[in-house]
Amino acid sequence: MHTMFKRIHYNNLILWLKIFMIGTLAMGGVVFPFTDIKAQNADTIAATPISNQDEATTRAKMLHLLPKEAVINSVQERNFLYNTWEISFATPDRDKDGNKMHSGEIVLLAADGSLVSFDDSKRGNNFNGMEFDAREERVSHEQAIPIAEAFIKNQNWMLDATWIINPYPESAFSTRGDDKSLHKIRFSRTQNGIPDDQQYFNVYIDRVTGAIVSYQVQWVKVTFASPNSIISKKDAGNILFNLIQPNLYISNEAGNPQLVYALNPSYTIDAIDGKYPDKYNMPNTKKDDTLLPRISAERAKRLLLSMYELELKYLYVDTMNLGLYYQLVIKPSIPLFYSGSAPMLDANSGIWRDFIGNPLTQPVPGASDWLNEILASPDRITYKAAIALNGKMLPLNDEPIIEGGATLVPFRELFEKMQATLEWDPVSQKVTAKTDSTTIELTINSKTAYVNGKPYLLTVPAQIVNSLTYVPARFAAEALGAGVKWEASSRLVLINTTAFSNKPLTEESLMLLRLEAQRNWEIKHWQ
């Protein structure tokens, strides 16, 4: 699937056309709190045309791209789209089987001597096989990262490139041949902190000694898009959320048919116009109306999207130009199947399953901020009303109802949470709630209530709904001495039994309350 820089053969040599092949989808990197590694800039060397092999070799040395002990295998002029010089090199180092341990390829533009592409690969001699006893590890992956960063900084190649850590894991299938005694620290080229994952710098570090064993670097001269403005991450998230429909199908990988929901490997939109390019996306499967899941597609979508981060990254627009795109990528903490497939959601039980249908043994992490912001937006919440007590969501077995502009709540759940004792007279249908200083009396269908014997007129009376007694939330809470606010856009009744303040909650606090209320509602109604 990752087709950046495909190699084709021309007269039994690797043609530099690899530079111009369009990249497709790749697992992405995010900006972690590590310092960008800025390489030396080749533009500091004056432009000079190249007309022969000696000039090509001299330019490669000026750019510090040839190791001191390098042996030039070939220097050839190519003329495809552009006139270039291709230099192939290797060092005398050989492994125990006589294979080259360090080799590379440099492509220079003949017109001005600028670097077009650079590949360099050095591997160790002591391949330790696929297995490694983790008990022997002395250098952790986290400890290996600064070692790799220092190694890249110490390279004197004149590359116009900045490298940043790529934390996203590779599938076990794609790394099946890797030496497990080594940490593979992956870096992506980045522009203004935005990664281009098709260009990489991989450093391999011994898990016992911490020594640099091998590395791979691939760099290509490209033009990075730099638009004046792009859509916001919030807008991108909303566009993707509206576009995505989870795939529902019967999985029979383990010979045990199971109805599951799953998402495509990734989803991408243009960061400038928000369009959904076909070349970077797979179509949603058509809905099969004969499949009848217990969990709704909307609930499944929310759960499945919790596995994804929303990242801004560079992808290829054409052969040499990179555009800005927002892309959903699987989180590093998500347990992947051997092939790299993400977990599926059982459409009936809600259990997370792997590619062959087995239940996952480790939990799937919760949704990231970008998704929480969407799910908790006032225009997406589906609950009618919710109650927050002293800044925390009040868990109710039965939901509040709205009638006549008033919010009514189950009296027992509310009063008990506010430390009141309750009495119910089925003959007179009267509710009585008592604290040390207050007695409240409400009669079903009566608009007159009593607080310490004093009558109060209600806009909406207490009433029985579905065999439960509901009382007006504001009156009940204020009668017990609490402060009450109604946040209309969030549909939240905010009750405070402590020192009540007119200062509104922050938008972040309201968002978290909406998010919890919405999730509680979905659990009850969508599965």
Side-chain angles (χ1 to χ4, degrees), residues 287-484:
K287 183 178 179 182
D288 186 344
D289 293 331
T290 64
L291 301 177
L292 301 174
R294 293 179 182 174
I295 296 177
S296 72
E298 279 300 310
R299 175 65 175 162
K301 178 166 73 171
R302 285 157 166 76
L303 292 171
L304 290 166
L305 283 174
S306 68
M307 298 189 295
Y308 289 77
E309 296 287 3
L310 178 59
E311 301 295 344
L312 181 63
K313 60 174 53 184
Y314 282 104
L315 297 175
Y316 279 73
V317 177
D318 53 38
T319 53
M320 295 296 288
N321 295 289
L322 298 181
L324 283 170
Y325 296 85
Y326 283 103
Q327 189 173 70
L328 291 179
V329 290
I330 296 290
K331 296 177 181 178
S333 56
I334 295 297
L336 300 179
F337 190 64
Y338 179 77
S339 64
S341 300
M344 305 176 295
L345 185 72
D346 191 299
N348 290 318
S349 67
I351 294 174
W352 289 100
R353 298 188 181 278
D354 64 20
F355 182 73
I356 58 175
N358 295 325
L360 294 186
T361 57
Q362 61 188 102
V364 172
S368 297
D369 290 343
W370 74 270
L371 180 58
N372 285 337
E373 190 173 0
I374 291 173
L375 300 182
S377 59
D379 58 337
R380 289 191 188 273
I381 57 178
T382 51
Y383 59 86
K384 293 182 180 179
I387 310 294
L389 179 62
N390 295 329
K392 295 183 179 180
M393 187 56 55
L394 184 64
L396 299 174
N397 294 325
D398 299 284
E399 299 167 20
I401 59 176
I402 305 293
E403 184 172 320
T407 303
L408 285 78
V409 295
F411 87 95
R412 183 171 298 279
E413 291 193 78
L414 176 61
F415 282 137
E416 286 182 346
K417 291 293 191 303
M418 297 184 71
Q419 309 304 312
T421 59
L422 307 177
E423 296 177 5
W424 164 249
D425 185 344
V427 177
S428 62
Q429 292 196 309
K430 183 171 69 174
V431 175
T432 303
K434 295 181 180 180
T435 64
D436 292 340
S437 59
T438 306
T439 298
I440 304 172
E441 297 173 297
L442 300 100
T443 302
I444 299 301
N445 296 328
S446 172
K447 287 190 175 183
T448 301
Y450 294 87
V451 179
N452 292 335
K454 182 178 179 180
Y456 285 84
L457 182 63
L458 305 175
T459 56
V460 178
Q463 52 196 273
I464 295 177
V465 179
N466 296 328
S467 301
L468 295 173
T469 301
Y470 280 76
V471 298
R474 178 179 289 276
F475 167 79
E478 289 181 343
L480 292 177
V484 180

Side-chain angles (χ1 to χ4, degrees), residues 43 45-49 59 111-114:
D43 292 342
I45 296 179
T48 305
R59 175 50 62 99
D112 60 7
S114 62

